[in-house]
Amino acid sequence: MSDVGVIGRVTSVQSTTLRVALDVGAKGFTKVGPDGLHTVGVVNSYVTVPAGAHRVVAIVTGVYISRQVERPGRGAFVSEDDQSAYELEAAVVGRFEGETFRSGLTGYPPLHAPVRSATPREVKSIFLPRDVPSLRIGTSAVAAEQDVYLDANLLLGHHCAVVGSTGSGKSCTVIGILDGLLDRPIPNGHIVIFDINGEYAQAFAPGTARGEATRTVVLGPHLGAREGLFLPHWFMNNEESLALFRASEGVQAPVLQRSIADARAVSASTQPDVTRLQAIQSAMSVVEQLYGDGKNSESPTDRQLGAMREVASDRARLVGPCQDQWAAMLTLIDQARTDAALSTGTAWSLLTAAQKTVISELFVQMRSLISQAFGALGIGSAEIAPDFDAPVFYDLQQLCDFFLPNRVKIEQAHDYKVASYVATLQMRLSRLLADGRYDFMTRVEEHADPLGSYLRLLMGVDPTRGEGDSDWPAAETYSMQTMLHGDGPSVTIFDLSLVASDVLENVTSLLGRIIFEFAVRSDPRAEHPMLLVLEEAHRFIPSRRDPSTTGSRSTAVFERVAKEGRKFGLSLLLASQRPSELSETVVAQCGTVIAHRLTHEADQNLLRHATALSSRALLDQLPGLAQQHALVTGVSTGVPVAVRIRDIADPPKSNDPKFIQTWSDEARLDNLPAHIDSVVTTWQGAS
């Protein structure tokens, strides 16, 4: 083989590491080859070595200089340069089969094999995937003229993690990836962003290139159905409901489950019956309180019984599941009024003992009929609804005021202590309903096709179906935003920056589960793939190593997405400044890792365990990477590569504050009181 372009010889082969003795001196680390002048021995550059029928490709990870032993007979005057030997170390990352680059190894080079610098043509072949859709992530840190591309299908199909310390450029890298996708015509693309810091709305604002190229909807940061960021509580499944209400497993959880099953069983057609049965119960309670009235009880009792009769008479005329019970109640009320012979014209008269006996016997029979009526409506039965997790509307206030107390009364027949066990649960539920921070979940009004509307919103489809009179809660907000954006892929941004921290996990786990279940239930499978972007992912998917950590439900949801989402067309793009706090399961499932500067040893160690063996030596560079520079490893790139991330316009709102410049502006002092007032007004209003 010709020695043209040879820069050295292999002196050691260990697993995936090669050591090479260079044929250059300190006078210049350059070598003339058939493609021109090559820089020799630069960290992160590439070399090729023949290995049987193929050529092995390796990335330089270290360069060394050592003193040579002076050989006898040489002149007395030998320079320091002439006594030095130069070596490099390289990690094997793939091979050339002819002119085509392939990842992985099929053989090793022998000792003394000639080593060449990869030519510009070879480098381009490495960085530009052939015959597959690709996106440009940036340029090579070693050869600035060489663009670096990632295989788009492998990037999305195997999940991606962008990690790095704060200020290293993670958010801009995420936008760079999205820009790379937007460079392609993808009108059926679907991107959902969980934005915990409120950064991404600026990047997709109307008037920006991304805003014009996408159908972007921003939900938040203000919470509430009319503002756009809302999540109906009835979307929650069994586990999520128990977690939100913090129901203990012993007694509270079963009682709450059956109460919610009762509440879900009330449909629009049966709601009038339920409401009127509640009214009958309230009227009976009022009459029983009149027993102790020492001044006037007979006339008010007659009025209450008359009202009860009117309600029963109205419902008994209508065909329904509990019509028989209403008819029986009407008969009982008429008979009791006759037997009690209540006086209607006498003021300030008291009930007699005989009248109280008649009314009490009436109420015993009425309560039995009411129980039968609830059973006919599917409420109060001993069995839980056949599909408890079905996202069917129920009123949370009604659950608190009626269904939960009613279920407690039923269960007390078996255990008289149930009421005391459930008292704290009832108190928590009442407090939750009284806290305005949670209105965006607990006070969402019933509307037509709530789940379908929400899924259409997530997928960039008009949730109102184009109907001007739609009762979808955020119809006006949606209409205003869609007027300002163009065509192209859909981008739905959940600005979660104002969501209370103690309910954030409930929100993210519920949203993640809805998206995943939609993907799983879609037929045919992966008909409409979706990219889910999680900013500050360690907040959504914390590690489970600490048993006391929060986020177990959210972690479970996204671990399942990481393990199973690919086959259903659901991809994760994670961004985190603390990868060591992320679930190891999720990090291990990320086929591509883009690592910016990381200084914490635990973060570096996690990546070493999660990346390919040949890439681990490169990770020693992480503490010293400059801003906008990153190491890219994984299935979407042919080789591990040091990249300068592409420049982006209209970046996310994540730039560092200019302290000194701001502190030096004396004029800002005049605006400080108004600024404080504005924050306080919004703060108190949101609370």
Side-chain angles (χ1 to χ4, degrees), residues 310-426:
E310 185 177 347
V311 170
S313 176
D314 288 341
R315 301 309 299 174
R317 288 196 296 267
L318 301 176
V319 176
C322 53
Q323 184 182 20
D324 292 343
Q325 285 77 23
W326 283 117
M329 280 188 264
L330 177 61
T331 301
L332 288 174
I333 293 171
D334 286 341
Q335 185 62 49
R337 294 182 78 188
T338 300
D339 295 343
L342 296 170
S343 174
T344 59
T346 305
W348 311 108
S349 61
L350 301 179
L351 289 169
T352 65
Q355 289 173 325
K356 289 181 180 178
T357 300
V358 171
I359 295 170
S360 295
E361 291 175 351
L362 166 67
F363 287 177
V364 169
Q365 295 173 301
M366 290 284 289
R367 287 192 169 101
S368 176
L369 287 171
I370 289 173
S371 179
Q372 294 175 28
F374 281 137
L377 295 171
I379 300 169
S381 62
E383 301 296 328
I384 295 178
D387 187 0
F388 180 81
D389 291 341
V392 177
F393 171 80
Y394 69 93
D395 189 300
L396 200 58
Q397 187 68 58
Q398 201 172 40
L399 174 72
C400 179
D401 295 342
F402 171 69
F403 290 107
L404 184 56
N406 186 63
R407 175 54 67 173
V408 170
K409 290 179 182 178
I410 295 172
E411 298 297 330
Q412 276 184 313
H414 307 288
D415 185 352
Y416 69 93
K417 294 183 179 180
V418 167
S420 60
Y421 295 149
V422 180
T424 54
L425 173 63
Q426 291 176 302

Side-chain angles (χ1 to χ4, degrees), residues 6 13 100 147 186 294 393 397 403 425 442 454 463 562 632 651 661 670 678 680 686:
V6 173
V13 179
T100 303
D147 288 332
I186 50 171
F393 171 80
Q397 187 68 58
F403 290 107
L425 173 63
T442 61
Y454 215 89
V632 183
Q661 179 180 333
D670 297 333
S678 174
V680 169

Side-chain angles (χ1 to χ4, degrees), residues 167-169 173 596 626-630 643-648:
S168 59
T173 298
H596 288 269
Q627 190 178 40
Q628 205 177 347
H629 285 68
V643 177
R644 182 187 183 278
I645 302 298
R646 61 190 286 173
D647 295 322
I648 62 170

Side-chain angles (χ1 to χ4, degrees), residues 31 95 118 136 149 186 219 222 236 303 306 392 396 411 484 501 639 667:
K31 193 80 172 180
R95 67 195 186 280
R136 186 175 68 87
Y149 292 84
I186 50 171
L219 306 178
H222 300 294
M236 294 189 295
R303 287 197 298 272
V392 177
L396 200 58
E411 298 297 330
L484 303 174
S501 58
V639 296

Side-chain angles (χ1 to χ4, degrees), residues 466-640:
E467 299 171 358
D469 58 348
S470 171
D471 65 347
W472 189 65
E476 184 177 351
T477 300
Y478 177 83
S479 177
M480 291 176 60
Q481 291 198 35
T482 53
M483 289 173 55
L484 303 174
H485 289 279
D487 299 325
S490 70
V491 177
T492 305
I493 301 174
F494 286 92
D495 186 339
L496 305 174
S497 56
L498 294 184
V499 175
S501 58
D502 57 344
V503 79
L504 179 63
E505 179 196 354
N506 301 89
V507 172
T508 56
S509 61
L510 177 53
L511 282 172
R513 182 183 61 79
I514 289 173
I515 292 172
F516 180 70
E517 286 203 10
F518 172 72
V520 170
R521 295 170 185 269
S522 295
D523 187 23
R525 178 184 289 185
E527 179 76 0
H528 297 283
M530 180 189 299
L531 173 63
L532 183 55
V533 181
L534 304 183
E535 180 65 37
E536 302 291 356
H538 53 274
R539 295 284 302 277
F540 306 120
I541 324 173
S543 171
R544 299 199 201 202
R545 287 173 294 180
D546 182 1
S548 64
T549 187
T550 59
S552 58
R553 292 179 309 282
S554 184
T555 297
V557 167
F558 290 109
E559 283 182 348
R560 189 179 178 196
V561 173
K563 290 184 288 188
E564 305 175 29
R566 178 183 62 83
K567 57 190 175 188
F568 298 111
L570 184 56
S571 177
L572 291 176
L573 174 55
L574 314 177
S576 175
Q577 58 183 289
R578 288 306 310 273
S580 61
E581 296 181 3
L582 275 169
S583 163
E584 293 183 8
T585 299
V586 174
V587 175
Q589 293 294 328
C590 290
T592 301
V593 176
I594 302 177
H596 288 269
R597 182 181 66 253
L598 282 173
T599 56
H600 199 283
E601 186 176 357
D603 296 330
Q604 299 172 30
N605 288 337
L606 179 67
L607 292 188
R608 286 190 178 93
H609 292 302
T611 55
L613 184 66
S614 61
S615 307
R616 294 180 184 176
L618 296 175
L619 299 181
D620 292 334
Q621 304 175 36
L622 289 177
L625 288 177
Q627 190 178 40
Q628 205 177 347
H629 285 68
L631 300 176
V632 183
T633 67
V635 296
S636 65
T637 177
V639 296

Side-chain angles (χ1 to χ4, degrees), residues 266-280 311 315-316 318-323 326 373-374 377 379:
V266 178
S267 64
S269 61
T270 58
Q271 181 63 56
D273 281 315
V274 172
T275 303
R276 284 157 179 78
L277 288 170
Q278 290 177 274
I280 296 289
V311 170
R315 301 309 299 174
L318 301 176
V319 176
C322 53
Q323 184 182 20
W326 283 117
F374 281 137
L377 295 171
I379 300 169

